[in-house]
């Protein structure tokens, strides 16, 4: 792994404050995104994390969908994507003890890992850097593109006003995930992503294009929203191409991914007018 992962990526992973997003998929190729800060390097050859609140991610892996990836995003907006094969969960052994002694779990009376998940890295992307100017530009362009998004009422997939308000914050981290052409669930940060209606998200395709991805119209996607509070939410829906540089997500499910109810579905059904 010393040859596979560059030293600056290893250094970033060993800092537990560095945000890491874990991407998995279910048997229907539905992507799932989870903020998992505990991912780190184990024994110089593998990757490990402490399973704490990763209910859906854990189910996907236990169902045999072992293709996964990890997005490492530093506070300086440097990022790498690691594709990996999940190996197994460990309890009461050296792998579990390693994770239990890390700062996130050792010094906290509130967090205890249920198990330690071990994965083998397969490939790593080049390092991508997003400038603050690019963040602001994408944010402004997404606002300008809002008029391209049609308003369609749906009973499911409606975000509450507090979520919409958080989504509109410039400092909020927004991650888009999907299934890549090789079958791996992958993701990338896209700060040019904003809610237009309670069930529609508009986005510029800046980072998608820069990273060489080509998400298809009609493809299933997941959107992670992380705010400074911290609060974490996940929206799932269908990707729709508006033009070459702009797209939207038709949201049909909304989840809260932080305490006190991690994994709970919280989209608001519309009240019938009849």
């Amino acid at each position: 792994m010393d040859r596979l992962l560059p030293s600056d990526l290893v250094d970033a992973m060993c800092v537990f404050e560095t945000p890491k997003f874990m991407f998995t998929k279910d048997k229907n190729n539905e992507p799932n995104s989870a903020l998992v800060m505990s991912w780190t390097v184990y024994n110089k050859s593998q990757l490990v994390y402490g399973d704490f609140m990763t209910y859906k991610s854990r189910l996907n892996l236990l169902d045999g969908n072992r293709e996964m990836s990890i997005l490492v995003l530093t506070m300086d907006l440097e990022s790498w994507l690691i594709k990996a094969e999940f190996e197994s969960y460990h309890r009461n052994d050296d792998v579990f003890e390693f994770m239990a002694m890390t700062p996130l779990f050792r010094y906290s009376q509130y967090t205890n890992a249920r198990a330690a998940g071990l994965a083998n890295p397969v490939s790593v992307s080049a390092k991508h850097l997003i400038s603050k100017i690019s963040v602001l530009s994408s944010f402004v362009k997404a606002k300008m593109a809002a008029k391209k998004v049609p308003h369609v009422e749906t009973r499911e997939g409606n975000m509450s006003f507090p979520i919409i308000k958080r989504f509109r914050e410039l400092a909020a981290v927004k991650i888009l995930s999907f299934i890549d052409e090789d079958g791996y669930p992958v993701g990338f940060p896209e700060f040019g992503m904003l809610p237009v209606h309670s069930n529609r998200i508009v986005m510029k395709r800046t980072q998608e294009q820069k990273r060489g991805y080509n998400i298809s119209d009609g493809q299933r996607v997941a959107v992670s929203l992380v705010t400074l509070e911290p609060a974490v939410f996940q929206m799932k829906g269908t990707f729709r191409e508006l033009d070459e540089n702009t797209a939207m997500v038709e949201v049909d499910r909304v989840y809260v991914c932080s305490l006190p109810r991690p994994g709970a579905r919280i989209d608001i059904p519309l009240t019938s007018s009849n």
Side-chain angles (χ1 to χ4, degrees):
M1 190 173 68
D2 292 335
R3 295 189 300 271
L4 181 61
L5 302 186
S7 59
D8 50 354
L9 171 55
V10 174
D11 291 342
M13 289 202 71
C14 291
V15 176
F16 281 93
E17 291 80 7
T18 300
K20 300 121 186 173
F21 292 86
M22 176 182 180
F23 307 122
T24 59
K25 64 179 182 179
D26 66 14
K27 61 183 179 181
N28 298 316
N29 267 352
E30 179 90 1
N32 191 78
S33 175
L35 176 66
V36 183
M37 305 286 281
S38 60
W39 275 106
T40 190
V41 178
Y42 176 71
N43 202 25
K44 296 185 179 181
S45 61
Q46 293 176 297
L47 305 173
V48 65
Y49 87 101
D51 179 42
F52 173 49
M53 294 191 300
T54 55
Y55 175 74
K56 182 58 178 176
S57 301
R58 186 170 180 270
L59 284 183
N60 286 345
L61 296 172
L62 290 176
D63 280 346
N65 307 297
R66 297 182 178 274
E67 295 170 327
M68 55 163 291
S69 63
I70 305 162
L71 176 70
V72 181
L73 177 65
T74 72
M75 298 301 182
D76 294 325
L77 301 185
E78 296 176 331
S79 65
W80 300 260
L81 182 83
I82 307 168
K83 291 182 177 179
E85 292 287 332
F86 186 75
E87 181 187 283
S88 60
Y89 282 105
H90 293 250
R91 300 173 182 82
N92 303 318
D93 60 8
D94 291 344
V95 179
F96 182 83
E97 287 303 315
F98 171 86
M99 180 52 57
M101 294 301 291
T102 58
L104 188 63
F105 296 106
R106 182 180 182 182
Y107 301 113
S108 175
Q109 59 181 322
Y110 302 107
T111 56
N112 291 296
R114 295 178 296 183
L118 204 61
N120 298 306
V122 173
S123 66
V124 59
S125 72
K127 177 170 66 176
H128 294 273
L129 174 63
I130 304 176
S131 68
K132 292 181 180 179
I133 294 297
S134 178
V135 171
L136 180 59
S137 174
S138 296
F139 187 84
V140 172
K141 289 178 180 178
K143 276 191 171 183
M144 296 172 62
K147 60 184 178 182
K148 298 181 180 180
V149 178
H151 184 195
V152 179
E153 290 191 351
T154 57
R155 279 193 54 80
E156 297 182 310
N158 292 281
M159 297 175 280
S160 66
F161 178 73
I163 296 177
I164 293 174
K165 183 179 179 180
R166 292 180 174 101
F167 214 135
R168 290 172 176 165
E169 295 174 356
L170 180 60
V173 176
K174 303 148 191 177
I175 307 294
L176 184 75
S177 59
F178 64 101
I179 308 301
D180 203 1
E181 295 175 350
D182 60 3
Y184 280 85
V186 298
F188 56 89
E190 184 52 82
F191 292 91
M193 193 185 307
L194 286 170
V196 180
H197 310 294
S198 63
N199 57 5
R200 294 289 186 272
I201 298 169
V202 68
M203 57 176 290
K204 300 306 294 182
R205 307 180 70 175
T206 307
Q207 294 302 317
E208 175 193 352
Q209 295 168 350
K210 284 186 176 181
R211 294 163 195 254
Y213 295 127
N214 184 23
I215 307 176
S216 302
D217 186 85
Q219 193 165 348
R220 295 294 293 173
V221 297
V223 176
S224 281
L225 170 67
V226 182
T227 69
L228 297 177
E229 298 173 84
V232 186
F233 304 92
Q234 181 178 197
M235 282 62 68
K236 294 193 177 186
T238 303
F239 184 88
R240 294 298 182 191
E241 187 177 84
L242 297 175
D243 58 44
E244 184 179 353
N245 299 310
T246 313
M248 73 172 182
V249 177
E250 297 175 340
V251 180
D252 51 50
R253 277 174 284 166
V254 182
Y255 300 89
V256 62
C257 303
S258 49
L259 295 173
R261 298 178 63 204
R265 185 172 173 179
I266 57 170
D267 43 311
I268 302 173
L270 293 182
T271 302
S272 174
S273 59
N274 295 329

